[in-house]
Amino acid sequence: MQRFFSLLAVLVLTGAFTACINDTDDCPKNVEGSDYITLSFQLTSSEGTRSRAENGHDESESEWPAFEDIIEDDDFAFFIFTRDSEGNWPMIMSMTDLKTATDKANMTVSGVSGVWIVTAAIPKADLEGIIGYEIKSGMSQNVPLRVAVIANAGGAATSATNKVDYSAYVAEDFVRFIDKANTLKFAMTKVHSGSNGDSSVDGIYKGAIPMYGMKEFSISGDMLYYANEADPAWLGEVDILRALAKLRVIDNIENKNPTTHLPRIDEVSIDSRTIEAYVLPTDAENFSGVQKDISRPVPVIGEDNFYTLKLGFLNENSYRNDSTRIGYLPEQLNVENNCPIVKITVTFETDASGNPTKQQTYDVPLAGYNGVNFTANLGNSIIRNHIYTLSIDGVSLGADPDVHAEVMDWEPSEFELDYTNNVNVSSKLDWQSGFASRNLTTGEIVMLPWTSSVDGDVAVPLRATFGINTPVGATWTAYLIAVGENANDTAFEFIVKDEDNNDVRQSFATGVIDGKNAMTIRIVSTDPNPSQVNRALLQVVVTVGEGTNSTVSEADLTPEGAAYHNFIIIQDIN
């Protein structure tokens, strides 16, 4: 039977690791046919190879990741749904706070190198009760699943009162979940400081940009049947898109004075009538990474509806020819008399002290300017997760500037989970002795048979070393999980040292990470003449903390580029 090894390519490429988080020592579990089905998916995309705009614009990366790509780990939730026999989508599982132990009992998140990997253990009986049929080996019928993600819905990290209580969403089917989540909106004051004057971006914007993502999957029942914690069923990637669009204004003015760098853009702001933004996109129930033209209501034109947003410097040197300012906008209409207006102040002359003596401020609507229709390029709506650029190519005092407008997709954020407790493997498992054969392509390690002597049969230990250098002070533990038909939980044991430095046998091996010394494990089989081939999956996990605050993360000790996630220890029939 072909089995689906879920995280292999992603984990090898990114260095990410799966994890189980609870306060017990029996975290490694779930064999084929178990009571749990383990799913895994990636919440981000760092490749930027797919276009998500309707008209297929090229994509642009983030320019200020500290604000544009951040996820607040206490303002982040995701939800899993499945379809029942009547076509409804009830919720099967949720995770509403990364920091709570209760949420982490059956769902885990890990992240390094710009990706987040989520692993969820769903009770098999619960899933079968909703879909109305048994998940079993050999079945070809697909099981439908949906994953929805909400992040940073509070809109800022400045106060705990800004956080969203996602617990209100956990007992809903997908339609009612969307109905509730569609009311989530935030004022631009939560992400904009309202600072006066022109300054760098980090002096103007605060917190984090709210984000949303949803994707539907279909996975075979046979694949789900064999999905377990060691080999989760890989669902794929869920792009999470920002609720705001970015505006860039670039000083590309030609023929500057080489000494004074004049003329130059000295200040940029936006007058916007839409001062609130929605976390979810239009048509969120059918949203799958492509944001359509918005249909959100826009306030009636009037002075009271304007909200002024300052744009900040992106480049350190404001006099550079490619000096760029950036700001952020809610989704809104982009048609004449009902669109954001960009106010661009250009300095033409200064006094000896550098103070402006001749300036001109231009009001540039995003719909078009000086007879040029921007909407031919930008479209009739400001769409989330897109970048709108105005390039100021030429100016002269008393005349309208030469302005070029374009729009690009904004590739999904490359989120980094900055955990100080990340597991860093300094050296992979090195099999040193005790094996009849080792296949580093398949991950199969066949042990030597027992040897005979005058004192009786003797098990030949399998010996291997590995290195984990962080987190220092954490505990590593190695387990052997029986796999295959007629799995025998007692077929293998570890040889470890007791307090008197004597060899003893037990079901696990453990030690403390000191950041310097390599770890050694020794494995023996327990039956000198087995009547069947015994197999066990070797898993090494790292535990940080104690009790309900502990985290248990798996260390990937397989070779770089390997098409498997764990070694399989094999004892052949003698």
Side-chain angles (χ1 to χ4, degrees), residues 361-512:
T361 298
Y362 305 94
D363 289 355
V364 181
L366 283 185
Y369 181 70
N370 192 25
V372 179
N373 179 12
F374 291 165
T375 59
N377 290 333
L378 301 184
N380 294 322
S381 298
I382 303 299
I383 306 175
R384 70 174 53 207
N385 216 87
H386 283 63
I387 301 174
Y388 295 81
T389 300
L390 295 181
S391 175
I392 313 303
D393 298 334
V395 295
S396 59
L397 191 61
D400 292 329
D402 179 14
V403 181
H404 175 72
E406 65 177 15
V407 63
M408 301 182 75
D409 292 357
W410 193 355
E411 73 176 20
S413 177
E414 298 182 11
F415 306 126
E416 286 195 30
L417 182 57
D418 187 17
Y419 278 172
T420 58
N421 292 334
N422 276 347
V423 175
N424 291 311
V425 175
S426 55
S427 59
K428 301 291 189 175
L429 269 167
D430 180 16
W431 301 98
Q432 297 186 335
S433 62
F435 53 85
S437 67
R438 57 177 177 177
N439 189 329
L440 299 184
T441 301
T442 64
E444 295 178 323
I445 310 298
V446 180
M447 300 183 67
L448 286 170
W450 284 46
T451 61
S452 299
S453 70
V454 294
D455 298 321
D457 294 334
V458 178
V460 178
L462 177 64
R463 186 176 184 274
T465 61
F466 61 92
I468 301 176
N469 55 8
T470 64
V472 174
T475 301
W476 66 268
T477 307
Y479 297 91
L480 289 164
I481 305 167
V483 294
E485 295 185 9
N486 304 314
N488 183 357
D489 292 329
T490 62
F492 302 94
E493 289 180 325
F494 292 94
I495 299 178
V496 300
K497 295 290 186 180
D498 63 12
E499 294 180 354
D500 298 323
N501 204 35
N502 296 317
D503 285 345
V504 296
R505 296 187 182 191
Q506 60 186 41
S507 61
F508 64 93
T510 189
V512 176

Side-chain angles (χ1 to χ4, degrees), residues 240-317:
I240 308 178
L241 304 188
R242 306 166 188 84
L244 297 177
K246 178 163 68 173
L247 174 67
R248 296 191 299 200
V249 177
I250 303 177
D251 184 345
N252 279 328
I253 298 173
E254 298 179 352
N255 301 321
K256 290 179 180 285
N257 183 299
T259 302
T260 64
H261 305 285
L262 296 174
R264 67 170 185 258
I265 296 176
D266 259 346
E267 185 174 299
V268 181
S269 63
I270 310 167
D271 282 346
S272 175
R273 295 179 178 87
T274 305
I275 64 174
E276 285 189 321
Y278 287 82
V279 175
L280 267 61
T282 302
D283 196 25
E285 185 175 350
N286 300 310
F287 177 74
S288 60
V290 177
Q291 170 60 13
K292 297 177 172 54
D293 287 353
I294 58 99
S295 59
R296 301 292 190 191
V298 177
V300 177
I301 297 174
E303 224 174 274
D304 293 340
N305 293 321
F306 277 110
Y307 179 68
T308 298
L309 301 171
K310 293 285 185 180
L311 275 67
F313 292 123
L314 185 62
N315 298 328
E316 293 181 2
N317 186 348

Side-chain angles (χ1 to χ4, degrees), residues 177-194:
F177 165 81
I178 291 295
D179 287 344
K180 281 188 175 182
N182 262 329
T183 64
L184 285 170
K185 57 184 180 179
F186 59 97
M188 287 300 295
T189 53
K190 284 193 173 183
V191 297
H192 185 264
S193 67

